Amino acid sequence: AQTIHQWPVAEIKAVGSPLSLGCTIKGKSSPNLYWYWQATGGTLQQLFYSITVGQVESVVQLNLSASRPKDDQFILSTEKLLLSHSGFYLCAWSLTTNTEVFFGKGTRLTVV
Amino acid sequence: GEQVEQRPPHLSVREGDSAFITCTYTDPNSYYFFWYKQEPGASLQLLMKVFSSTEINEGQGFTVLLNKKDKRLSLNLTAAHPGDSAAYFCAVSDTGGADRLTFGKGTQLIIQP
């Protein structure tokens, strides 16, 4: 069975500090991977997607970056956090772009 | 681009009553519609995927209605029970693909005993 694991579960960070959120998918090779973000009171927005190792497409510009260093790993990061980065970050995977997407449990980020 | 408006943002109903959540969308080329449930601390769980050709879709304890003329997608939880307490999200796609999902803002549903 496939599992998706996100870390950390929650994080409180200072403005201007760096951030790294991680996601791993086990039990499925070469999945499509996605990062979604939900600001408090806002809607879920897709930030990045990746269909293969080393290849990441940006959907929304938020002064964040994403990388896929391994087939089963997706990293979201920034060198300088802004207050507006606060929110809920979800990692997700799908078999192809036309199949069901499965979500991780998310990371709650608070920037102070 | 596609915009999805979901209402209400918060809903409280008594156990045994019905709960009704609605999403309206803007893109007439949307063909795939989704309802997700998110319990506290858990992932988004797909409740139902609906294709544009089907107006009434029955699930276990709920019904999903699609009105393409009005561009409206509805979720009706019948005889709500405490396990239905969760956040519910609708999503719309023109391709059915995970790369083209547009979500509503979500509805926080509380079932009161």
Side-chain angles (χ1 to χ4, degrees), chain A residues 16-28:
Chain A
S17 63
L19 173 77
S20 182
L21 303 181
C23 174
T24 55
I25 290 85
K26 297 298 181 187
K28 181 59 65 179

Side-chain angles (χ1 to χ4, degrees), chain A residues 4 34 36 38 41-46 49 88 90 94 96-101 103-105, chain B residues 4 36 38 41-46 49 89 95-106:
Chain A
I4 177 168
Y34 310 86
Y36 283 85
Q38 183 183 34
T43 193
L44 274 161
Q45 295 184 73
Q46 191 181 115
Y49 71 91
F88 191 56
L90 279 169
S94 67
T96 69
T97 54
N98 289 323
T99 53
E100 181 182 345
V101 58
F103 291 89
K105 291 188 179 183
Chain B
V4 178
Y36 288 91
Q38 186 180 33
S43 301
L44 265 68
Q45 171 199 352
L46 180 66
K49 178 179 180 179
F89 295 88
T95 65
D99 60 329
R100 297 282 289 268
L101 285 173
T102 303
F103 282 86
K105 288 189 177 183

Side-chain angles (χ1 to χ4, degrees), chain B residues 3-73:
Chain B
Q3 292 183 42
V4 178
E5 186 166 340
Q6 182 173 344
R7 291 190 187 280
H10 302 276
L11 181 60
S12 179
V13 302
R14 282 200 271 189
E15 188 174 354
D17 287 349
S18 294
F20 199 74
I21 304 170
T22 297
C23 289
T24 54
Y25 59 95
T26 56
D27 188 350
N29 294 319
S30 297
Y31 291 111
Y32 299 88
F33 307 88
F34 307 81
W35 280 105
Y36 288 91
K37 175 184 180 181
Q38 186 180 33
E39 297 179 14
S43 301
L44 265 68
Q45 171 199 352
L46 180 66
L47 282 180
M48 184 171 278
K49 178 179 180 179
V50 175
F51 296 104
S52 64
S53 57
T54 310
E55 291 185 345
I56 301 173
N57 302 268
E58 301 280 353
Q60 197 163 2
F62 62 91
T63 302
V64 171
L65 303 173
L66 175 63
N67 183 329
K68 290 213 73 181
K69 177 174 166 289
D70 294 341
K71 298 197 213 52
R72 183 181 298 121
L73 177 73

Side-chain angles (χ1 to χ4, degrees), chain B residues 71-85:
Chain B
K71 298 197 213 52
R72 183 181 298 121
L73 177 73
S74 303
L75 172 67
N76 185 27
L77 294 164
T78 53
H81 57 85
D84 291 332
S85 291

Side-chain angles (χ1 to χ4, degrees), chain A residues 11-78:
Chain A
E11 185 104 83
I12 299 175
K13 301 277 282 187
V15 169
S17 63
L19 173 77
S20 182
L21 303 181
C23 174
T24 55
I25 290 85
K26 297 298 181 187
K28 181 59 65 179
S29 64
S30 303
N32 287 2
L33 298 176
Y34 310 86
W35 277 112
Y36 283 85
W37 170 69
Q38 183 183 34
T40 304
T43 193
L44 274 161
Q45 295 184 73
Q46 191 181 115
L47 300 178
F48 298 94
Y49 71 91
S50 170
I51 59 173
T52 192
V53 174
Q55 191 176 325
V56 177
E57 300 295 328
S58 173
V59 179
V60 173
Q61 293 295 331
L62 278 183
N63 292 310
L64 294 167
S65 60
S67 64
R68 186 168 178 179
K70 299 180 189 177
D71 185 52
D72 63 352
Q73 195 173 74
F74 208 18
I75 307 295
L76 184 71
S77 61
T78 182

